Amino acid sequence: MRVLVVNAGSSSLKLGVVDGDGAVLASESLAARGGHWDPRELSRALEGVPEVDAVGHRVVHGGGEFVDPVRLDASVVERLRAWGSLAPLHQPKALEAIEAVGRVLPGCAAVACFDTAFHSGLPEVASTYAVPERWRREWGVRRYGFHGLSHAYVSRRAAELTGGERVVSAHLGSGASLAAVAGGRCVDTTMGFTPLEGVVMATRSGSVDPGLVVWLVRHGGLSVEEVQRGLERESGLLGLAGTEDMREVLERDDARARLALGVYVHRLCAGVASMAAALGGVDTLVFTGGVGEAAAPVRERVARGLGFLGVGVDGAVNAAVEGEAEVTGVGARVRTLVVPSREDVEIAAGVRRVLGGG
């Protein structure tokens, strides 16, 4: 079965055709102008790809309702809209892509695959916030976790390469999160109710004191919208260094850039250590995502900070990584890998499970 994989982001719409062996037969990326895609460009792009049997869409938030891939219809789409407020940077774009591709390929079966699904079986102690019972009962307040498609693939690949059962996967891109995976099952992760919790990201703050939000509204005079925009779009590396691009942060040698990198690595080390604690130790640490795959200095600094756990990388090997590689240093107890994320493979597999294709 050939699957058209659709990954809608805030600035682009990525299309890829994946066959049953995981090979990419064609790919295309469309820029989003003013937050929207030109339907004529989408039509032209789809005309240029091989014929497909089905479409698989990456959808960030499935809430507590969608814990497995699901075939899309009007009812499912409407239920997905209800979860949009919890992923405002992502969910509306995914829904727009579902509608746009559906108009171009109206007769093609479409399936939604969810970033939250991999984390749906989190232990209760890891998924539960210590908040009033009414919030949890009436509004489904809990830790959902995200980047699940990426974490599922890279943690499985890491286990295949090393044989280690206890994997910490670090998805470091524009968004960033960590996951603790034991024997293929996620037991903890850093993102929570929304994709804002956890480690420092490109424009997102990661975890902050919730009292800060209350203070900014009550005493700082900010509106809820201003606080949301600040935490989601004006924080992270951008808020610290004035740029959201880790490449620029690493190239610069000024106080703001040094602080940004220091905060980023400090939070990452703390996050990996907490994931290791959830696992009772760690066998393999795997980096993925744009920063995780390309930023050798970040991997080196994180490994240095986690030396007490037995993490260490080979400097020369780490600096020369291209694609999938092991960068473990001599004498290190924890094996460290770089594995490119293949969310497309996970999505295509989910589509085949739902539709029964080979």
Side-chain angles (χ1 to χ4, degrees):
M1 177 185 285
R2 288 181 173 178
V3 178
L4 172 66
V5 174
V6 181
N7 192 334
S10 58
S11 61
S12 67
L13 179 66
K14 296 178 182 178
L15 308 170
V17 177
V18 181
D19 69 11
D21 296 321
V24 178
L25 305 180
S27 62
E28 187 77 36
S29 182
L30 305 180
R33 297 180 179 85
H36 302 281
W37 305 285
D38 187 328
R40 293 168 297 182
E41 288 187 9
L42 178 59
S43 295
R44 285 195 293 269
L46 292 178
E47 287 172 1
V49 303
E51 184 176 349
V52 298
D53 303 297
V55 181
H57 290 269
R58 176 190 173 221
V59 178
V60 166
H61 216 310
E65 181 176 5
F66 299 106
V67 297
D68 291 299
V70 63
R71 185 163 182 168
L72 286 162
D73 58 26
S75 172
V76 170
V77 169
E78 284 308 305
R79 281 142 65 195
L80 291 177
R81 292 190 192 281
W83 295 99
S85 64
L86 301 187
L89 298 183
H90 306 87
Q91 201 87 338
K93 296 300 179 187
L95 292 168
E96 184 178 342
I98 289 169
E99 294 176 358
V101 174
R103 285 193 294 268
V104 180
L105 300 174
C108 204
V111 172
C113 298
F114 302 95
D115 265 330
T116 48
F118 184 60
H119 309 294
S120 62
L122 280 174
E124 198 171 24
V125 293
S127 67
T128 303
Y129 285 117
V131 297
E133 193 270 341
R134 180 191 169 204
W135 298 5
R136 292 180 275 119
R137 183 185 69 248
E138 295 188 14
W139 298 315
V141 172
R142 55 158 286 176
R143 302 186 69 248
Y144 288 102
F146 299 89
H147 293 137
L149 294 164
S150 176
H151 287 304
Y153 175 81
V154 299
S155 62
R156 184 175 65 252
R157 182 61 181 150
E160 290 171 353
L161 292 169
T162 68
E165 289 288 301
R166 300 173 300 178
V167 178
V168 175
S169 58
H171 178 102
L172 309 179
S174 179
S177 69
L178 310 174
V181 185
R185 176 172 174 259
C186 184
V187 298
D188 205 355
T189 189
T190 53
M191 283 182 169
F193 186 60
T194 75
L196 188 56
E197 186 179 0
V199 297
V200 174
M201 301 172 231
T203 67
R204 280 171 265 173
S205 63
S207 296
V208 298
D209 181 348
L212 169 64
V213 176
V214 176
W215 188 94
L216 288 170
V217 173
R218 180 173 293 169
H219 299 288
L222 298 185
S223 66
V224 171
E225 291 74 20
E226 287 172 320
V227 173
Q228 181 178 25
R229 183 175 66 251
L231 293 176
E232 291 180 345
R233 300 178 184 274
E234 300 170 352
S235 295
L237 293 176
L238 179 62
L240 292 170
T243 177
E244 61 188 85
D245 192 334
M246 177 58 81
R247 291 168 297 187
E248 183 179 337
V249 172
L250 292 171
E251 289 169 359
R252 285 164 43 187
D253 187 22
D254 57 79
R256 292 188 70 188
R258 288 194 297 271
L259 176 63
L261 182 58
V263 172
Y264 188 92
V265 170
H266 176 78
R267 295 289 185 89
L268 267 181
C269 289
V272 173
S274 71
M275 295 298 102
L279 291 167
V282 56
D283 302 312
T284 308
L285 172 62
V286 55
F287 291 92
T288 193
V291 174
E293 295 168 34
V298 171
R299 295 193 298 266
E300 191 278 330
R301 286 169 181 256
V302 170
R304 191 189 313 154
L306 295 170
F308 72 99
L309 283 178
V311 179
V313 299
D314 182 297
V317 175
N318 182 56
V321 166
E322 290 186 13
E324 187 175 277
E326 178 166 359
V327 297
T328 308
V330 175
R333 299 191 306 276
V334 175
R335 295 179 69 176
T336 302
L337 308 177
V338 178
V339 174
S341 181
R342 291 296 308 273
E343 293 168 316
D344 56 344
V345 169
E346 289 297 309
I347 292 170
V351 171
R352 295 186 187 100
R353 288 198 302 274
V354 171
L355 301 180

